[in-house]
Amino acid sequence: QVHLVESGGGLVQAGGSLRLSCAASGDTFSIYTMGWFRQAPGKEREFVAASSWSGVTTTYEDSVKGRFSISRDNAKNRLYLQMNSLKAEDTALYYCAATTAPGVSSYKSAYRYWGQGTQVTVSS
């Protein structure tokens, strides 16, 4: 089992930055890929970014490319999401996710473990 806890959300003005953090515990040795998803009110949960355990392979949703950056600190069992140039449409509950399956996926169904989420609100 893997337990994930997100932190770092908050209220920020448009154009500002936030850094989300996800702490993993439990059977972290089994994790292959970790990612971030988000869900706005009344919308489906959508993919944001993902990284292989090594950090060599990353992938991003098109709307966040060039603004968001995903990174990992395996020594600390942590995943990060640096979010810059935030827009009102980035407002959502952000979830950390992990999978033991190989491959860096953007599909929700590929991820077995989920955190409870951290709220990001961007005011325009």
Side-chain angles (χ1 to χ4, degrees):
Q1 291 293 320
V2 175
H3 185 55
L4 304 173
V5 179
E6 303 94 335
S7 62
L11 174 64
V12 64
Q13 289 188 333
S17 298
L18 280 175
R19 188 193 194 202
L20 304 184
S21 178
C22 174
S25 60
D27 297 334
T28 56
F29 63 90
S30 65
I31 296 174
Y32 185 90
T33 297
M34 294 187 75
W36 291 97
F37 288 76
R38 64 186 180 186
Q39 188 168 15
K43 294 188 177 181
E44 294 283 327
R45 190 173 300 188
E46 66 175 6
F47 172 76
V48 176
S51 171
S52 60
W53 184 245
S54 66
V56 171
T57 303
T58 59
T59 186
Y60 295 89
E61 194 270 329
D62 285 346
S63 70
V64 307
K65 285 180 181 177
R67 299 189 299 123
F68 291 11
S69 178
I70 189 170
S71 61
R72 322 176 52 146
D73 184 337
N74 292 337
K76 296 182 179 180
N77 290 322
R78 283 190 175 264
L79 179 74
Y80 301 100
L81 184 68
Q82 178 66 43
M83 305 187 295
N84 300 324
S85 302
L86 282 161
K87 304 175 181 180
E89 50 263 44
D90 294 318
T91 294
L93 187 61
Y94 282 71
Y95 295 91
C96 176
T99 178
T100 58
V104 178
S105 176
S106 61
Y107 292 97
K108 296 188 297 290
S109 59
Y111 293 83
R112 178 177 181 182
Y113 303 104
W114 293 85
Q116 294 299 306
T118 185
Q119 179 67 38
V120 172
T121 302
V122 183
S123 63
S124 57

